Amino acid sequence: MFLKIMSSLDTQEKIKARAISLFNEHGTGSVSIGRIASEAGISRGHLQYHYANKQELIRAIYQDIAAEVLSNWEGDDKQPTVRHMAEMFVRQFHYVWKYRFLYREMVTLIRVDSELARRIRDNRARRIEAVIKFFRALARNRVLKKLRGEESLRYLVMITWIFCDNWLNFIEIQGNEINSQTLQEGYDHIIEMLYPYLTRQARESIYESYELIRFPQPLT
Amino acid sequence: MFLKIMSSLDTQEKIKARAISLFNEHGTGSVSIGRIASEAGISRGHLQYHYANKQELIRAIYQDIAAEVLSNWEGDDKQPTVRHMAEMFVRQFHYVWKYRFLYREMVTLIRVDSELARRIRDNRARRIEAVIKFFRALARNRVLKKLRGEESLRYLVMITWIFCDNWLNFIEIQGNEINSQTLQEGYDHIIEMLYPYLTRQARESIYESYELIRFPQPLT
């Protein structure tokens, strides 16, 4: 019984991994359930035993992404430093790259699946509040200067958020290759935006935080 | 002969208008050529006499969008004022709303059509340079303070660009209604971002520029 469950989980992991890779390469619209099954080395029927259709499969993948992302964002506000801020941004860029099909097609995907939309909205709302909490902690820890008010802080978080979610899409639309350099440039843009709000000490420690960004894991 | 050409152009306009409206409502993937023809009140064959397939139709629509956008951006750098800056941003939000299918699906669309990708890239490259020119003019006209260098200016333009292209998508993902208020909030975010770089005179004249944003044309 235990072995059977393990093997079933392994199959699901294999299906999801192949699906993510195919969706990233060709888009969710052009990849059929049959093709995913074939590339995962199983029958279509076997795949559909686990996921009845593409919508169910995409929901399952999203559930994994959400769990991965949320687990890593836990307690960010306990480390309100420039170094940790850099780690957060670079981590976010990595997620956007790893699950790029989701960030490219998000609006389309949520328009055709209201249950997926609900999950994405709930998770984003929680994460946005977590980032706002982190920025407040940065202000308390004198990384950020005193802002003009709670609304200013919220606006800065939104701009940073929209930028992080869309920087790699932007590069792709420009027709440029995405590599470690691209992530560094994305980070440079964020720093440029936050620069007027950084304290003198924070500006000085930006250079330390660079080490993190120059050597990301290779993008695959 | 002249009448026939006119009528042919009218038909094309009608097809494109129906297609834009259907694409905005349902996404390009779910709308067939047959459905567009039917809603435009012509036969599928008649539509295909003008546009052989959906790809050709999308390219033709994009050509119109590009012409409309480029014609309006001509000479922006001749009016380097806060008021004109506000007009530019609000205009851009209107385009993103009017042709929202394009902004929602851009990465997917360019991945499946390299000719469309080439056109989008060329136009964006020209427009980005035009906005950089406009920001330089703002700096010369003491609307923007002296920036830390040419790279800073370029980075600010990129962040603003990415924000404008994706603000309405972001609101849609949040599940909120898009209306005149949404455009105003988008503008508020941009002003928040630029605030540290605005001169005292520019900050004072922001309030004038608000009149423009509080009364946009109704969003349809």
Side-chain angles (χ1 to χ4, degrees):
Chain A
M1 185 59 192
F2 181 68
L3 275 172
K4 196 169 166 204
I5 290 168
M6 280 304 291
S7 149
S8 183
L9 285 176
D10 284 352
T11 307
Q12 290 180 357
E13 290 310 313
K14 195 162 63 178
I15 294 169
K16 288 184 285 189
R18 286 310 303 154
I20 291 168
S21 148
L22 285 165
F23 291 160
N24 280 343
E25 183 67 21
H26 307 286
T28 60
S30 331
V31 177
S32 68
I33 279 287
R35 181 161 175 200
I36 298 165
S38 148
E39 298 220 5
I42 60 175
S43 72
R44 191 193 162 99
H46 191 176
L47 189 150
Q48 287 185 308
Y49 166 79
H50 295 285
Y51 308 104
N53 51 44
K54 201 150 63 169
Q55 196 171 58
E56 270 193 23
L57 178 53
I58 291 172
R59 282 185 196 168
I61 291 170
Y62 177 70
Q63 210 66 357
D64 287 357
I65 299 175
E68 186 180 345
V69 172
L70 286 173
S71 75
N72 277 326
W73 286 67
E74 208 65 57
D76 276 334
D77 59 303
K78 305 286 186 300
Q79 307 170 67
T81 61
V82 170
R83 186 184 172 89
H84 191 67
M85 182 179 76
E87 276 173 3
M88 279 173 64
F89 287 128
V90 174
R91 195 167 65 199
Q92 183 58 18
F93 284 136
H94 274 123
Y95 284 132
V96 176
W97 175 252
K98 191 169 167 191
Y99 304 111
R100 51 199 177 277
F101 82 89
L102 179 70
Y103 290 88
R104 284 178 189 142
E105 301 180 34
M106 194 173 285
V107 190
T108 313
L109 290 173
I110 65 167
R111 284 173 70 80
V112 296
D113 184 348
S114 56
E115 173 55 25
L116 181 69
R118 194 190 58 73
R119 292 186 197 174
I120 289 181
R121 275 167 198 155
D122 287 355
N123 287 327
R124 284 168 77 89
R126 284 166 64 195
R127 280 182 52 211
I128 287 175
E129 290 313 313
V131 180
I132 288 172
K133 213 168 146 189
F134 176 70
F135 269 60
R136 268 196 220 116
L138 286 178
R140 271 200 309 275
N141 205 29
R142 299 186 203 284
V143 171
L144 290 182
K145 291 180 193 168
K146 207 170 145 51
L147 289 165
R148 285 186 297 139
E150 180 66 16
E151 198 179 58
S152 286
L153 187 138
R154 187 169 282 269
Y155 278 10
L156 283 182
V157 170
M158 293 304 167
I159 297 167
T160 326
W161 185 284
I162 292 175
F163 180 84
C164 279
D165 270 12
N166 294 288
W167 168 247
L168 297 183
N169 281 340
F170 176 80
I171 296 298
E172 199 170 345
I173 294 167
Q174 303 288 80
N176 296 329
E177 199 204 335
I178 290 169
N179 52 35
S180 303
Q181 178 71 22
T182 319
L183 301 200
Q184 190 180 327
E185 278 171 22
Y187 179 69
D188 288 346
H189 280 76
I190 292 170
I191 292 302
E192 184 66 40
M193 201 202 87
L194 295 180
Y195 200 84
Y197 303 102
L198 293 175
T199 58
R200 195 169 53 81
Q201 307 95 291
R203 288 178 185 178
E204 280 162 11
S205 62
I206 284 174
Y207 300 101
E208 287 172 36
S209 75
Y210 259 77
E211 275 177 43
L212 262 163
I213 295 122
R214 288 218 174 100
F215 309 104
Q217 288 163 32
L219 295 177
T220 47
Chain B
M1 184 60 190
F2 181 67
L3 274 174
K4 196 170 167 201
I5 291 169
M6 280 304 290
S7 148
S8 183
L9 286 176
D10 284 351
T11 306
Q12 290 180 357
E13 290 309 313
K14 194 162 62 178
I15 294 168
K16 288 184 286 189
R18 284 312 303 154
I20 290 168
S21 146
L22 286 165
F23 291 161
N24 279 343
E25 184 66 22
H26 308 286
T28 60
S30 332
V31 177
S32 68
I33 280 288
R35 180 160 175 200
I36 298 165
S38 148
E39 297 219 3
I42 60 175
S43 71
R44 191 192 161 101
H46 191 176
L47 189 152
Q48 288 186 306
Y49 165 80
H50 295 287
Y51 308 104
N53 51 44
K54 202 150 65 170
Q55 194 171 59
E56 270 193 22
L57 178 53
I58 291 172
R59 282 185 196 168
I61 291 170
Y62 177 71
Q63 211 65 359
D64 287 358
I65 300 174
E68 187 181 345
V69 173
L70 287 172
S71 75
N72 277 326
W73 286 67
E74 208 67 56
D76 275 332
D77 59 302
K78 305 287 186 298
Q79 306 170 67
T81 61
V82 170
R83 186 186 172 87
H84 191 67
M85 182 178 76
E87 277 173 3
M88 280 173 65
F89 287 128
V90 175
R91 197 166 64 201
Q92 183 58 19
F93 285 136
H94 273 124
Y95 284 132
V96 175
W97 175 252
K98 191 171 168 190
Y99 304 111
R100 50 198 177 279
F101 82 89
L102 179 69
Y103 290 87
R104 283 178 189 143
E105 301 180 34
M106 193 173 283
V107 189
T108 313
L109 290 173
I110 66 168
R111 284 174 70 81
V112 296
D113 184 347
S114 58
E115 172 55 24
L116 182 69
R118 193 190 57 72
R119 292 186 198 175
I120 289 180
R121 275 166 198 157
D122 286 357
N123 287 326
R124 284 169 77 89
R126 285 166 62 195
R127 279 183 52 212
I128 286 174
E129 289 313 312
V131 180
I132 288 173
K133 215 169 144 186
F134 175 71
F135 269 61
R136 269 196 219 113
L138 287 178
R140 271 200 309 276
N141 204 31
R142 299 185 202 285
V143 171
L144 291 182
K145 291 179 193 169
K146 207 170 146 50
L147 289 165
R148 285 187 297 140
E150 179 67 15
E151 200 179 56
S152 286
L153 188 138
R154 188 169 282 269
Y155 278 9
L156 283 183
V157 169
M158 294 304 166
I159 297 168
T160 327
W161 185 283
I162 291 175
F163 180 84
C164 279
D165 271 13
N166 294 288
W167 169 246
L168 298 182
N169 281 341
F170 175 79
I171 296 298
E172 200 170 343
I173 294 167
Q174 302 287 79
N176 296 330
E177 198 204 336
I178 290 170
N179 52 35
S180 304
Q181 178 71 22
T182 318
L183 302 200
Q184 190 180 324
E185 279 170 20
Y187 179 69
D188 288 346
H189 280 76
I190 292 170
I191 291 302
E192 186 65 41
M193 200 202 87
L194 295 179
Y195 200 84
Y197 303 102
L198 293 175
T199 59
R200 196 168 53 81
Q201 306 96 292
R203 287 177 185 179
E204 281 162 10
S205 63
I206 283 174
Y207 299 101
E208 287 171 36
S209 74
Y210 259 77
E211 276 176 42
L212 263 162
I213 295 124
R214 291 220 172 98
F215 310 103
Q217 288 162 31
L219 295 177
T220 48

